Amino acid sequence: MKKLFPEVPAKSAAKREATIVDVAEAAGVSKSTVSRVLSQPLKVSPNTRAQVLEVMDRLGYRVNVAARSLRTAKTSLAGLLVPAISNDVFGRIAEVLEEDLRQDGIGLLIMSSGWSASGQRLAIESFIARRVDALVVSLVDEHDSDVNSMLGSFGRPVVLLDREIRGLRADVVLTEQGNAIRAALEHLAQLGHRSVGLATISTTVRPGREAVSAFEAHADALGLQRVVEMVVPYERVGAWAGVDTWAGWEVGQRMIDAGATAILSCVPNSVTGGVLDFLRSRGLNIPEDISLIAFDESELASVKPPRLTVIGRSLDDIGHSASRMVVTRLANPGLAPRAATIKMRLHIQDSTAPPALSLSTVAQR
Amino acid sequence: MKKLFPEVPAKSAAKREATIVDVAEAAGVSKSTVSRVLSQPLKVSPNTRAQVLEVMDRLGYRVNVAARSLRTAKTSLAGLLVPAISNDVFGRIAEVLEEDLRQDGIGLLIMSSGWSASGQRLAIESFIARRVDALVVSLVDEHDSDVNSMLGSFGRPVVLLDREIRGLRADVVLTEQGNAIRAALEHLAQLGHRSVGLATISTTVRPGREAVSAFEAHADALGLQRVVEMVVPYERVGAWAGVDTWAGWEVGQRMIDAGATAILSCVPNSVTGGVLDFLRSRGLNIPEDISLIAFDESELASVKPPRLTVIGRSLDDIGHSASRMVVTRLANPGLAPRAATIKMRLHIQDSTAPPALSLSTVAQR
DNA sequence: CTGAAAGCGCTTACAG
DNA sequence: CTGAAAGCGCTTACAG
């Protein structure tokens, strides 16, 4: 046999990885049989199978994923696109998803869009170039036509995280905020608040729209005055270190200016952190001077005084749902698109209390 | 030609991905030439190259990574192992590393060990089975012999994040804490503290040992009494939701019991969160009743009152250094192992102040 | 500078 | 149930 790689003669002799041919020789069967033990074990007689498995174990055989991929046109790789893997929410979802998929022999490539449309385009392109078998994506903008057409022609499973894209055949894991926002507003109304403000993420994505519409509907129903509805666009969440804090300060400023006695801060916790920072800088205490409800549990929400009242959800459930959708659809591509819904709940802690007599009084003193 | 996949006839006709053969035909050259344009462009005449590139673009050609991998025995995939991708520190490092490697055409598989030795073993096994080209790892235990022998026989680049493993040929990105801990202790000494306590991570890893030895050396040199040296093992950081808070409570309890007037909390911020939680529950104010210095910036450290004095570092630099090491060593495997050092710095904010007259007085009142 | 050919390690339809 | 054979899409030494 002619040597194809004469430049690495040592390696081919010494530490070459075992292949199915090696296993076949050692087991006295054909490589077809060895291959079947790997991919269609039931088509091999129990005896032969056991023997082959024993030899594989002894030789430390590991399937060459590249070779298998080339043959099957499957990479056993999934892609996860999130705005930022360093974000507490997406970090946890990624962790759970990776763990689940690993059980099914699927590796997870994770990319961050950096909260930008261009970033999300590059990432999706990159995933497609790598021919991942499935995609789980949290888009920064549902209306990015480049991304939507890429996803549309992807031809493999796509799972959207809390996004709605018309005309795209995809499974989706939704978060249902409406009830929790209603509960939060009821809680505030009961405490005596009359003027409430909302900060939310971009309405170019479903959760932003849902927060706004739920806020409007339920505040009105409860007779609460909606003094602020502020959208914090994704560019202001994470383009560079510190912007999120700045965005939070602006939220705080506008809430105070408008006379809100309670803030629904339905934005990433890094932004809510900025809100807290601003309120502190103004000498305003939570909850005595102003009430605040945060979104998603986090270190921010759970520890420092006051512990924050939050609208929370199980991030683990989101990860598990996404993995289930990937695996199910990979096994059964014909299935109709499905939606799973994760419910948010209000967790009352220490950052909400009856309003100060008048916030303007407070701000002026 | 006999059909190998008669079950999917439509696909092979309609949406088959272009291959180098397709490009070769369309460009009127051999597939060897097309391949060279991809892998050794300088060996192709400029004219031919330009023409081939044009055709590739027109056909939307994308190299089949699996085929290339099979031929070259390289996957252009790197693996990152961290205790938990949901941790703020590792999340940011991962984000930067992924972005950097993507520039070099390397995809990043990220796995979390869940802060456990068994988890780290499974992950490393999984990476090796996938034949990643390089590994970047933050181990939970430097003395795990299974892992060490796997890494030792890996035969491809390994970058250790702040770990020391004797006998392992690997590059390493170190964090230098000594000076920052000295600065922190000097700061506390100047404020008038005499009794200080340290909480750190497991001494089965380098940073734990470094923190302890720096603490001991510098506290002694400054004449500070070391009333507590507490190791928080990794199992208590993240095995399940809430353990970290519990661990933090215990840290707080022991600090108070021992009469520390200042705490150096060199543990993950989720644990430091528990410390804050405990102190609050005891009605102790920071910094009036007790001073606290945290480790690594985080939402926890940057926002809520009081903003925490921290020992911090550039996580971005860690990510960049790691990516540089991966890329450099992939290009030049013969290089001697290298070490990059990231320095920590003390950032004084609002959680440190002169000690209360007597902490025991405070605790009793 | 270019092309023909071999081969990377698998999977699977086909024929026993 | 098993084996021989073809072929997935690349890369590269070899020979022009």
Side-chain angles (χ1 to χ4, degrees), chain A residues 4 29-33 36 42-45 48 70-71:
Chain A
L4 244 189
V29 296
S30 76
K31 67 171 182 169
S32 305
T33 298
R36 275 189 208 98
L42 297 179
K43 291 198 176 176
V44 179
S45 79
T48 314
L70 180 55
R71 213 13 246 260

Side-chain angles (χ1 to χ4, degrees), chain B residues 19-32 34 55 59:
Chain B
T19 70
I20 54 171
V21 173
D22 300 322
V23 175
E25 281 173 5
V29 297
S30 76
K31 66 171 182 169
S32 305
V34 176
V55 174
L59 266 50

